[in-house]
Amino acid sequence: MKLGVVLRADNLIREKQLRQNRVVTPFGPVDRVFSGLVHNVEAHFLYGRFPGARTPSWEIPYEANQSAFDALGVDHQIGTFVVGGVDKSVRGGDLIIPHDVISLSGPSRSLPPLDGRFRNAHVIPTFCPVLRELLIRGARATGIPVHESGVYFSFYGFARIETDAELQLIERLGARLVGQTLDPEFTLARQRQRHYAAIAIAVDSYHDMKNEQDEDPEVFRARSREAIAVGREQFERIIEAGLAGHDEAAEGDCGCAKVAKGPHRDMFTSFPEHLL
């Protein structure tokens, strides 16, 4: 396993003396990767999805981020997310390890195929069961409470949060959490047949937000910032504890990396093959 994690892992960077890398990609340089061994596993921590100042979700350099992981040989990836809770069981400050995702719309983002031949990413299972088990095991080992399942609804492409009607619809669809950044990161990672799993912290809850108009915005902002800071520290502890009990023998049991490799005829060829 060569693990890539999207996380501002301040504690692990310091404690494990991870070295900073600058990776040049076809989409520009990525200079915020910190690399080293964590419990004998080669790990590469991407320090946030966007460089410098925060940007809208559609301006995050997803292609450059994934290309940096390509260059580093990353074959397993964990994404960490800040989300909103949707169903009544999720409150602000809760951690969730989703088991599936709904993404009905999104940007036209893709990576050029490494072998010169385009193919759709196959995403069943959606998230790698081995990586999900690593996260669940890490949460149990640290005693950090998490929701061990949930559907992430990917709400992408608007400079706003969801309307009340949209949240009602998302809740009826059975989603537990909603956010803007899991896809296209998930799709691009799966295009590379990377094993992928996610863990998220809810900074608020749909059912709590119904009364948000009666709350001081500064109080809400301060509470959200505190939840994010606590969540990042908990993500680090969970991932480290999961890696401490990692079993290399279990890595091949998930089926995430299966892809057809034979000399198959391309059904999308535009001209008769004997004329090409």
Side-chain angles (χ1 to χ4, degrees):
M1 174 193 290
K2 291 186 178 181
L3 179 66
V5 184
V6 183
L7 173 63
R8 298 183 182 188
D10 293 303
N11 295 323
L12 285 173
I13 290 170
R14 182 177 60 256
E15 294 168 5
K16 304 297 182 183
Q17 298 182 327
L18 305 181
R19 66 186 184 279
Q20 186 172 3
N21 281 325
R22 184 177 190 271
V23 184
V24 177
T25 81
F27 302 94
V30 178
D31 60 3
R32 60 193 191 283
V33 179
F34 293 83
S35 305
L37 293 178
V38 180
H39 295 291
N40 294 318
V41 174
E42 181 180 327
H44 304 275
F45 289 85
L46 179 66
Y47 197 83
R49 287 183 174 80
F50 42 80
R54 182 176 180 179
T55 66
S57 57
W58 57 88
E59 292 183 6
I60 293 172
Y62 293 103
E63 295 95 336
N65 295 343
Q66 293 303 313
S67 293
F69 283 155
D70 287 348
L72 294 165
V74 167
D75 52 18
H76 289 67
Q77 183 176 337
I78 294 173
T80 64
F81 299 92
V82 176
V83 299
V86 178
D87 72 19
K88 291 183 173 66
S89 69
V90 177
R91 294 302 189 208
D94 284 9
L95 269 62
I96 311 100
I97 300 172
H99 71 278
D100 216 329
V101 59
I102 297 172
S103 183
L104 300 181
S105 63
S108 55
R109 301 288 189 94
S110 185
L111 287 170
L114 295 176
D115 61 1
R117 181 178 180 180
F118 172 80
R119 59 176 62 86
N120 287 313
H122 285 243
V123 292
I124 298 176
T126 305
F127 297 127
C128 175
V130 173
L131 273 184
R132 287 194 73 252
E133 180 58 32
L134 183 151
L135 292 171
I136 291 170
R137 185 175 62 249
R140 291 174 179 174
T142 56
I144 297 172
V146 300
H147 298 275
E148 295 184 359
S149 65
V151 174
Y152 182 121
F153 190 98
S154 185
F155 180 87
Y156 188 92
F158 303 102
R160 62 167 173 82
I161 60 172
E162 305 76 26
T163 68
D164 186 57
E166 287 165 346
L167 286 166
Q168 288 184 46
L169 174 62
I170 293 168
E171 184 180 29
R172 289 172 185 169
L173 289 173
R176 175 164 274 180
L177 57 159
V178 60
Q180 292 193 358
T181 50
L182 190 144
D183 230 1
E185 178 177 290
F186 160 70
T187 298
L188 296 184
R190 294 299 295 129
Q191 274 191 309
R192 293 298 196 245
Q193 289 89 50
R194 270 193 267 281
H195 304 253
Y196 190 96
I199 184 168
I201 182 164
V203 295
D204 53 36
S205 161
Y206 166 46
H207 294 276
D208 293 337
M209 283 175 59
K210 289 180 178 180
N211 299 318
E212 186 180 330
Q213 66 272 17
D214 301 325
E215 188 173 2
D216 183 344
E218 293 304 317
V219 172
F220 173 78
R221 182 180 294 274
R223 189 172 65 242
S224 297
R225 290 176 65 180
E226 180 181 1
I228 292 170
V230 171
R232 284 175 180 158
E233 189 270 336
Q234 291 176 324
F235 293 157
E236 289 185 86
R237 292 169 56 197
I238 287 171
I239 291 169
E240 182 181 10
L243 289 174
H246 174 62
D247 179 10
E248 289 187 11
E251 289 181 19
D253 295 341
C254 58
C256 297
K258 290 182 179 177
V259 62
K261 294 183 173 66
H264 306 289
R265 177 177 174 179
D266 192 339
M267 72 181 95
F268 300 108
T269 299
S270 300
F271 299 98
E273 291 183 354
H274 68 281
L275 297 180
L276 296 179

